[in-house]
Amino acid sequence: DVKVTQSSRYLVKRTGEKVFLECVQDMDHENMFWYRQDPGLGLRLIYFSYDVKMKEKGDIPEGYSVSREKKERFSLILESASTNQTSMYLCASSLRVGSGNTIYFGEGSWLTVV
Amino acid sequence: GENVEQHPSTLSVQEGDSAVIKCTYSDSASNYFPWYKQELGKRPQLIIDIRSNVGEKKDQRIAVTLNKTAKHFSLHITETQPEDSAVYFCAATYRGSTLGRLYFGRGTQLTVWP
């Protein structure tokens, strides 16, 4: 059973703070993703990575960065948190080769920026 | 990139009735179409998928149909039950997609009334 684990389920941070969201998967997946979920806007891709130290911008990368130093771990970084980054963040992973590979999601991290 | 539109955004049905959610996509090269279900407070999970070489796929009470000519695909749930209440996301990916990235619709909130 694939497991994608997000270390923090609920966080409250102050405006301007640096925020780290951590994600670990245990299935040796090459691809990892960070999505943001807001009501009525669906799942919007922030960044993804297809290999260690590799990253690609998604649709809404502004205000975020990522780090992938190990294959199983993908971190989302908010350099200076702002209130408009209050949201639910979902990490996901999948095998790389070809299309049609199932994406597995973590449980999500609820971030509130005050 | 691909653009996926999903309708309706909300859907209420009586228990036992059928529910249909429709999605359209823009890129004729898309060849894989999964559907994810997200129950309240939980992670999205794959419930069914279809590839472009198949017109219909069924799994018990759920089915997905694909019309490649019209570039739309639909989720059908028959004999709905209260536990079908959730947000449903359609998605598409295509051969040119960067390493298996999925493009999601905005989601449909399905409510099944007892």
Side-chain angles (χ1 to χ4, degrees):
Chain A
D1 220 18
V2 175
K3 192 171 271 187
V4 180
T5 304
Q6 295 180 232
S7 55
S8 303
R9 292 297 314 276
Y10 303 95
L11 306 95
V12 180
K13 298 292 181 181
R14 295 194 181 278
T15 299
E17 275 193 80
K18 191 168 185 175
V19 180
F20 292 87
L21 299 180
E22 305 285 345
C23 176
V24 176
Q25 50 91 8
D26 66 357
M27 284 302 291
D28 204 34
H29 285 171
E30 293 89 355
N31 293 344
M32 295 190 75
F33 308 83
W34 275 106
Y35 288 90
R36 171 175 171 163
Q37 183 174 12
D38 300 288
L41 297 180
L43 301 168
R44 293 183 292 169
L45 184 64
I46 305 171
Y47 267 98
F48 63 102
S49 168
Y50 53 89
D51 204 347
V52 175
K53 296 191 186 296
M54 305 303 287
K55 61 184 179 184
E56 294 279 345
K57 292 181 180 179
D59 298 320
I60 52 165
E62 296 77 20
Y64 304 93
S65 62
V66 289
S67 172
R68 192 160 182 207
E69 296 296 318
K70 293 185 178 182
K71 189 176 185 180
E72 68 271 18
R73 189 179 297 270
F74 193 35
S75 302
L76 181 69
I77 303 155
L78 288 67
E79 294 289 342
S80 177
S82 63
T83 54
N84 63 12
Q85 293 178 309
T86 291
S87 187
M88 214 263 266
Y89 292 88
L90 283 163
C91 175
S93 72
S94 73
L95 287 169
R96 179 198 295 172
V97 179
S99 66
N101 292 306
T102 302
I103 285 182
Y104 297 89
F105 287 91
E107 292 280 8
S109 298
W110 286 95
L111 172 65
T112 300
V113 182
V114 299
Chain B
E2 174 65 279
N3 181 45
V4 178
E5 303 270 349
Q6 182 172 349
H7 299 280
S9 56
T10 60
L11 179 60
S12 292
V13 299
Q14 203 76 31
E15 183 177 0
D17 288 349
S18 295
V20 181
I21 302 170
K22 298 182 180 180
C23 291
T24 60
Y25 60 98
S26 60
D27 194 326
S28 56
S30 286
N31 59 359
Y32 175 66
F33 308 91
W35 286 86
Y36 283 78
K37 175 184 180 182
Q38 185 179 29
E39 297 175 9
L40 188 63
K42 299 199 173 176
R43 72 185 82 198
Q45 291 193 291
L46 178 72
I47 55 170
I48 195 167
D49 57 15
I50 192 168
R51 298 180 189 273
S52 60
N53 59 348
V54 175
E56 183 175 3
K57 184 176 178 180
K58 285 184 180 178
D59 183 3
Q60 298 182 351
R61 294 186 300 108
I62 61 173
V64 58
T65 58
L66 171 64
N67 184 326
K68 285 190 292 183
T69 304
K71 290 192 280 189
H72 68 71
F73 56 112
S74 300
L75 178 71
H76 304 254
I77 306 173
T78 58
E79 299 171 31
T80 53
Q81 300 167 5
E83 51 264 39
D84 295 329
S85 296
V87 178
Y88 292 80
F89 293 99
C90 63
T93 191
Y94 63 106
R95 285 183 288 272
S97 171
T98 308
L99 299 167
R101 173 193 166 164
L102 288 179
Y103 294 82
F104 285 93
R106 291 194 172 193
T108 296
Q109 173 69 63
L110 173 64
T111 304
V112 180
W113 300 100

